[in-house]
Amino acid sequence: MNVTYFIFFLAIVVGTLIITHWAAERSKTTHQFYVASGSLTGFQNGMAIAGDFISAASFLGIAGLIAFYGYDGFLYATGFLVSYIILLFLIAEPVHYLGKYTIGDVIAARFPGRTMRLLVAAIGILISILYLIPQLVASGLLIRLLLGVDYAASVWIIGILMTIYVVFGGMVATSWVQIIKTVLLMSGTILLVFILLSWINWDFSFLWDQAAKQSPLGEQFFHPGNLFDHPVETFSLTLSLILGTSGLPHILIRFLTVKNAAGARVSAMSATWIIGCFYLMTLVLGIGAVALVGWDQLVQADSSGNLAALLLAEVLGGDFLVAFVMAVAFATIIAVVTGLIFAATSSLAHDIYFHTIKKKQVDEKEQLFVARLTAVFVGFLSIFLSIGMEESNVAFLVSLTFSVAAATIFPLLLFTFYWKRFNRVGAYSGLLTGFFVSVLLVGLGPEGLSVLSLYNPGIVAIPSGFLGAIVGTLVTKKTSDDRFEELTVRVHTGIGGN
Amino acid sequence: MEEKAETYSYHSLQQDQAFRRLLRRKSLFRLVITSCLLVFYLFFPLLLTNLGELFVMFSWIYLFSLFIFTWLLGYIYWRYAKAFEQKVQELYDENAR
């Protein structure tokens, strides 16, 4: 085991556990546990959103994609960024105004009732778990590399850590782990970029020429079409990325942790600044990796390109810089998995246990106890699923998650907030159609039975989700919905509804 | 505004023509901006292939413009929503008087 790597790893574990201990003192009520009492400022929440959103797939994966595919790798990253405009313009404020602890609460403002809450919660939990598995699998592989322990032990380490953060620290610990991750990630990336640029004496043309020389793509490296040569696949992926963010429960519930709508807006806006700056830096790192490490070395180390940033760090700063970048990657993973496990926990404990099973007949102490117990259950479930999937290709689950989120939760939220005629039947049919079409297409696609050649189901599943909601609404009898008039005022101003 | 929201009925605002006008304008603003951005993001790359030698340069301009648009639109919306809230607050105060 490399001692430098171990010291960095230990520093992150100890630091985050101290935060959790501090947060545990501030998680004594359900309001504190679920939404940190709405105590975060807009900018703090923006940093937490960036920490929640930038996954290992972004940090390690996109640098690798750019190193391998040049332009197209960077194009992939822009989808994640632009999706925040949809979130800011259409979703963030209404979620803040209507929600209490979960997305189930947001939908219940227009469609109260246990069945609706149960369905929204179930799909939300599935989305979180689907996204959690590839993150945990990646984390297992990374810890194995970092500490030299085997895969299962690595997943246990990360799984237990994330469970501890959520069980003891609730949303306060989750938020601060994510904020610190963002600080580490941004400072680590800036450091790496500056070392790289000083290494090449700020001569961008050298970097450009060297990248073209090292890559087997040559000048084509800077042209579109190296990764996405099939327009239908490209369109499907970009559609899922741009709309999917607005349907991810772990991102949406972050808008409940600020005290007003201005805070929600600043959260989304500052997240775009952080995420945008981060992706611009990964462009430099990706080009730097192929230019300085070389294509052959990159492919030899890992054919998926996930080690590009680490190999670049080795060239630029040796063992110490590699240890630092690995520590950043480790912090990145724990922040994302903690956010995901928290989202699944809050839906299960608040929507399913408190509202559906117990019909709200539970005192504060028991609610909190069950929420913590649920976190343990979700944590262990994710660990077992991830250990069982070591040999599976789980990368497709990331795009599947975005596709399911864009085909189910996103249309539901959009129509709930803005379409007067939308009704309960439309909500059910939209959710179910979007979900089942996504699953069916993946089952028939290259990752399943290989009957279809479509990798990303978004191009069919997302319109199906919208269409299901529209048809379900239009085939049922038009009823007067006084609740919508009230909801419209609430969605835009927060006034009413109490 | 949110503190008052707990005690204030939404009916006065809902009936107010000025408020309805504000809402319509805000909805139109959001619809136009998000639709334009979606169309630009999803379909502009299809037009690039017709640019011949300028194809590569415009492809990179397109990518960087997405960053600029995202930041700029975020800022514009932040300003717009702040002004909207102020106007609603004024209407609210008038109604509450």
Side-chain angles (χ1 to χ4, degrees):
Chain A
M1 186 186 295
N2 184 310
V3 178
T4 320
Y5 296 178
F6 185 71
I7 290 170
F8 272 96
F9 168 77
L10 211 59
I12 297 223
V13 172
V14 171
T16 48
L17 286 176
I18 290 170
I19 291 168
T20 307
H21 176 71
W22 168 81
E25 296 298 311
R26 289 154 184 81
S27 299
K28 304 274 190 207
T29 66
T30 47
H31 193 51
Q32 288 171 331
F33 183 86
Y34 284 121
V35 289
S37 305
S39 60
L40 294 184
T41 66
F43 185 66
Q44 284 170 345
N45 197 37
M47 288 173 78
I49 289 174
D52 213 356
F53 189 72
I54 301 172
S55 62
S58 290
F59 179 51
L60 301 175
I62 288 184
L65 278 180
I66 293 169
F68 279 1
Y69 303 105
Y71 179 92
D72 282 5
F74 193 46
L75 176 67
Y76 187 77
T78 56
F80 291 120
L81 176 70
V82 176
S83 69
Y84 274 82
I85 288 298
I86 309 287
L87 186 66
L88 170 63
F89 273 60
L90 302 173
I91 305 293
E93 287 167 272
V95 165
H96 171 78
Y97 280 136
L98 302 183
K100 190 180 177 194
Y101 298 150
T102 62
I103 298 308
D105 290 333
V106 176
I107 301 302
R110 182 160 181 195
F111 302 117
R114 281 179 286 159
T115 317
M116 178 65 78
R117 192 183 274 275
L118 186 68
L119 186 62
V120 173
I123 290 182
I125 292 167
L126 265 167
I127 289 172
S128 298
I129 303 261
L130 273 178
Y131 202 33
L132 191 55
I133 290 170
Q135 304 294 333
L136 265 182
V137 171
S139 72
L141 298 172
L142 185 82
I143 301 296
R144 184 168 67 182
L145 198 72
L146 185 68
L147 299 178
V149 290
D150 78 12
Y151 172 80
S154 309
V155 172
W156 275 106
I157 291 171
I158 294 268
I160 288 173
L161 276 175
M162 72 181 184
T163 308
I164 289 172
Y165 303 145
V166 174
V167 169
F168 295 104
M171 182 53 106
V172 181
T174 303
S175 303
W176 282 98
V177 165
Q178 289 165 345
I179 290 169
I180 295 206
K181 166 261 181 89
T182 301
V183 172
L184 270 176
L185 181 69
M186 293 305 283
S187 52
T189 314
I190 289 169
L191 182 74
L192 208 54
V193 166
F194 273 98
I195 295 175
L196 167 68
L197 293 178
S198 70
W199 208 82
I200 58 163
N201 290 322
W202 296 81
D203 184 357
F204 285 94
S205 62
F206 167 78
L207 197 65
W208 188 276
D209 292 341
Q210 194 64 17
K213 211 164 99 184
Q214 288 286 342
S215 170
L217 297 167
E219 281 300 323
Q220 184 64 31
F221 180 79
F222 296 102
H223 293 209
N226 300 320
L227 175 62
F228 307 124
D229 53 353
H230 198 296
V232 175
E233 284 288 357
T234 311
F235 189 84
S236 192
L237 178 69
T238 49
L239 194 65
S240 300
L241 296 183
I242 200 170
L243 302 181
T245 305
S246 298
L248 294 174
H250 70 293
I251 298 295
L252 295 172
I253 58 170
R254 292 233 52 92
F255 293 104
L256 307 175
T257 63
V258 287
K259 69 171 187 289
N260 53 30
R265 290 192 295 270
V266 173
S267 306
M269 194 173 66
S270 43
T272 63
W273 281 95
I274 297 166
I275 294 167
C277 289
F278 171 75
Y279 284 138
L280 285 176
M281 290 190 289
T282 54
L283 174 66
V284 180
L285 296 183
I287 296 175
V290 74
L292 303 184
V293 179
W295 173 279
D296 294 336
Q297 286 268 74
L298 289 175
V299 175
Q300 209 175 355
D302 178 20
S303 59
S304 65
N306 286 333
L307 297 180
L310 290 168
L311 292 171
L312 178 66
E314 194 175 19
V315 169
L316 296 175
D319 219 23
F320 185 82
L321 199 56
V322 174
F324 183 62
V325 173
M326 275 194 176
V328 170
F330 174 63
T332 296
I333 289 169
I334 54 172
V336 176
V337 292
T338 305
L340 287 164
I341 197 176
F342 187 85
T345 297
S346 56
S347 285
L348 204 56
H350 179 69
D351 289 329
I352 297 183
Y353 179 79
F354 178 66
H355 277 279
T356 311
I357 299 173
K358 288 290 179 179
K359 298 170 189 165
K360 298 200 265 186
Q361 301 303 311
V362 185
D363 63 24
E364 177 93 3
K365 204 174 157 190
E366 190 179 330
Q367 277 186 66
L368 211 53
F369 174 73
V370 170
R372 295 185 203 280
L373 204 64
T374 307
V376 175
F377 168 72
V378 177
F380 278 79
L381 177 71
S382 315
I383 291 170
F384 287 123
L385 285 173
S386 304
I387 288 175
M389 296 185 83
E390 181 189 359
E391 301 301 329
S392 315
N393 173 18
V394 290
F396 78 97
L397 288 179
V398 175
S399 59
L400 175 64
T401 305
F402 274 81
S403 174
V404 173
T408 55
I409 304 287
F410 176 61
L412 177 68
L413 289 174
L414 203 63
F415 289 148
T416 299
F417 299 153
Y418 304 112
W419 189 19
K420 188 176 180 180
R421 175 83 160 81
F422 189 49
N423 61 23
R424 202 175 280 272
V425 177
Y428 285 132
S429 57
L431 274 175
L432 294 172
T433 313
F435 181 73
F436 284 113
V437 170
S438 300
V439 174
L440 184 73
L441 288 175
V442 170
L444 296 176
E447 300 295 340
L449 299 171
S450 291
V451 178
L452 291 173
S453 60
L454 190 68
Y455 276 94
N456 191 296
I459 194 167
V460 182
I462 298 168
S464 300
F466 275 91
L467 209 63
I470 293 167
V471 171
T473 300
L474 297 180
V475 295
T476 43
K477 202 178 160 195
K478 190 174 178 179
T479 52
S480 67
D481 185 1
D482 293 339
R483 200 181 287 272
F484 184 74
E485 298 295 333
E486 181 193 343
L487 192 102
T488 303
V489 179
R490 274 182 79 189
V491 156
H492 290 92
T493 65
I495 295 173
N498 292 299
Chain B
M1 190 156 61
E2 281 177 318
E3 279 172 19
K4 289 181 183 177
E6 287 179 14
T7 54
Y8 186 73
S9 160
Y10 70 94
H11 285 292
S12 315
L13 265 184
Q14 191 196 337
Q15 305 300 329
D16 194 312
Q17 285 305 313
F19 176 69
R20 287 176 167 272
R21 241 189 336 269
L22 272 177
L23 269 192
R24 267 198 302 276
R25 224 176 289 161
K26 187 181 176 188
S27 302
L28 187 70
F29 172 75
R30 298 198 295 189
L31 186 74
V32 169
I33 299 273
T34 47
S35 307
C36 288
L37 185 75
L38 271 177
V39 168
F40 177 70
Y41 176 70
L42 294 169
F43 297 103
F44 190 76
L46 302 176
L47 301 176
L48 290 173
T49 45
N50 303 322
L51 290 174
E53 285 180 2
L54 298 173
F55 170 58
V56 177
M57 188 179 78
F58 273 94
S59 297
W60 283 98
I61 290 174
Y62 161 71
L63 278 194
F64 289 117
S65 70
L66 289 172
F67 283 75
I68 292 164
F69 283 146
T70 303
W71 290 332
L72 199 65
L73 291 176
Y75 177 72
I76 290 170
Y77 183 71
W78 176 70
R79 290 287 302 263
Y80 185 93
K82 203 171 155 187
F84 174 85
E85 270 187 358
Q86 270 169 3
K87 284 175 192 160
V88 172
Q89 184 71 56
E90 283 163 20
L91 285 175
Y92 176 88
D93 290 342
E94 273 173 34
N95 280 319
R97 236 178 263 150

